[in-house]
Structures are given as structure tokens and as C-alpha cells.
Amino acid sequence: MSEQKDKKHLFSEITTPVRTDANQMPDAEKMKQVEEKMKEVLHILGLDLTDDSLSGTPGRIAKMYVTEIFKGLNPDNMPKLSSFENKYKYGEMLVEKDISVFSTCEHHFLPIIGKAHVAYISNGRVLGLSKINRIVDYFARRPQVQERLTVQIVKAMQEALGTEDVACIVDAKHMCLVSRGIKDITSSTLTAEYAGKFKDPEVRKEFLRYINTDTKFIV
């Protein structure tokens, strides 16, 4: 197994509770087995799978689980995180804010929808902007708890950049609170992970000021 593969394997298993044999089964076989199990679940619920509207639902769910909303469970889907030299000597904080988060609560398998704000201070290396969004999306696309997601984003950024100076804030709504249980439609959940220089109150304050900037765009 390559060094890159080792890292992906590490990130997918250290903080997410998956079995050691989780990725031995090909995706096609996973989809086949999930489809069969979903037929059982829908049948138990009393749905008529011979109906035109429902006949393809088990297959659609299986494909969605494996190739879309839970694709972050497969380390082969982790984005390549190669960084490059900071030749322009940018020495200030870089912030990518309002990154869309679409995840799934691992307790009830209901959606988590929100925004992530990620920042780092270069230690001689920089990362392409889209890579930050891809890191967020990769770790979001699995059954999650928001606290773990926030930490995973920071650890992946640190690994990619070779620096401790990374921060992440996630602000999200959990449909398990909105559509069931307490049914609170107004609250959101905030989690934060500050590392390196971001533990300094003044640096942290600067980061918070950046993400609260009311930027408006034409597109």
C-alpha cells in the first residue's frame, strides 16, 4: 500500500467507527447488497414495491449511499492533497468561508446541512483553494457527528500543509432535531477546532472577524 493510501486509510478509520475490512468489498457488490436489504426494509414498512413509483427506489437508495452521500467512507475517494511552495510569500491568514456542508447524522441517518469556515497560516506551503472545499466534502460524506467532522477537517489540512496552524468552524442544522424529537426549526449547532497559532486569542479573533465579513457577490 502506498504512503498516500496509508494516509487515506488512517484518516478514514482513526476517528470514524468503521470495520477494518470496510473497503474490501467492491462498490458494485455493496450497492447490490444494500439494494436487497432496502427491499426488505421497505417491504416491512408496508410499501408496495410493484408500484411504478417505488419499484426502483431500493436501487436508487443503494447507489446514493455508496456513490454519493457515504462516498467519504471509501479512502479511495479522498482528494489528492498535494501542496505547493508559497513562492509569492503570502504570510497572512487564508480563510475559505461559507463552504457548503452536506452530511448525515450517524444516530438517525438524517441530513446535516450547513457551512464550514476553514483557515490556515502558511508554513511555506499552500493548498489550492478547491482542495479545501474537497476536504470538507470528503469528510462530510459519511455518517457523522459534527464534532468529529470539524476535527477531521483540521487534521487533514495539517497533514496536507505540514503546519499546525489550522482552524475550522462548522455551523449546521441537524434534521434529527428539526423533523423529529424536539422539532426545533430555528436552532443551529456550532463547533470549532483551533490549532497552533489559532489558539492565540488575537489570531482567533481575526479569524472570526473574517468569517463575519458580509461579502456580497454578483454571481
Side-chain angles (χ1 to χ4, degrees):
M1 187 178 288
S2 67
E3 182 181 356
Q4 177 71 6
K5 193 100 169 180
D6 282 337
K7 289 176 183 177
K8 292 192 292 186
H9 188 68
L10 178 72
F11 279 131
S12 70
E13 289 198 18
I14 258 186
T15 53
T16 297
V18 296
R19 302 192 322 271
T20 55
D21 64 346
N23 291 292
Q24 292 179 5
M25 186 184 296
D27 282 356
E29 180 61 25
K30 288 181 182 180
M31 285 188 280
K32 180 181 177 181
Q33 292 196 25
V34 171
E35 180 177 358
E36 291 304 312
K37 300 301 182 184
M38 285 308 306
K39 286 180 182 178
E40 293 181 28
V41 171
L42 298 178
H43 177 77
I44 291 169
L45 290 173
L47 294 172
D48 180 5
L49 295 181
T50 66
D51 185 89
D52 287 347
S53 180
L54 290 168
S55 60
T57 297
R60 286 189 290 267
I61 292 173
K63 183 179 180 181
M64 176 185 68
Y65 276 5
V66 176
T67 67
E68 295 181 80
I69 65 173
F70 297 143
K71 67 180 181 179
L73 288 171
N74 187 341
D76 288 338
N77 292 326
M78 186 172 182
K80 294 180 180 178
L81 302 181
S82 53
S83 60
F84 50 94
E85 185 182 352
N86 183 10
K87 293 182 179 179
Y88 22 84
K89 306 301 180 186
Y90 180 75
E92 299 300 320
M93 187 184 304
L94 185 144
V95 180
E96 185 85 2
K97 70 173 189 171
D98 294 334
I99 301 171
S100 296
V101 171
F102 297 101
S103 193
T104 303
C105 168
E106 69 181 39
H107 300 141
H108 294 95
F109 268 40
L110 287 173
I112 299 170
I113 303 169
K115 298 290 184 181
H117 314 288
V118 182
Y120 73 90
I121 299 170
S122 175
N123 189 27
R125 308 293 296 176
V126 292
L127 199 62
L129 293 179
S130 70
K131 299 298 185 184
I132 302 174
N133 300 65
R134 293 181 190 280
I135 288 170
V136 172
D137 189 64
Y138 172 71
F139 288 105
R141 299 293 182 168
R142 55 177 69 176
Q144 273 289 17
V145 293
Q146 188 172 321
E147 298 93 329
R148 179 197 301 137
L149 171 62
T150 310
V151 174
Q152 285 175 326
I153 292 166
V154 168
K155 288 186 178 298
M157 290 284 294
Q158 290 174 324
E159 182 72 28
L161 290 161
T163 180
E164 290 294 309
D165 305 329
V166 179
C168 177
I169 291 176
V170 177
D171 184 5
K173 293 185 76 69
H174 293 241
M175 292 303 107
C176 56
L177 276 94
V178 173
S179 64
R180 58 159 302 281
I182 192 65
K183 296 180 182 177
D184 184 341
I185 65 171
T186 58
S187 66
S188 68
T189 301
L190 277 165
T191 49
E193 177 74 3
Y194 302 113
K197 293 178 181 178
F198 286 92
K199 289 188 177 295
D200 183 315
E202 290 304 313
V203 176
R204 189 181 308 177
K205 189 183 300 183
E206 181 182 355
F207 171 46
L208 294 172
R209 187 169 65 248
Y210 282 152
I211 67 174
N212 286 320
T213 301
D214 187 17
T215 311
K216 298 187 185 302
F217 298 95
I218 298 174
V219 294

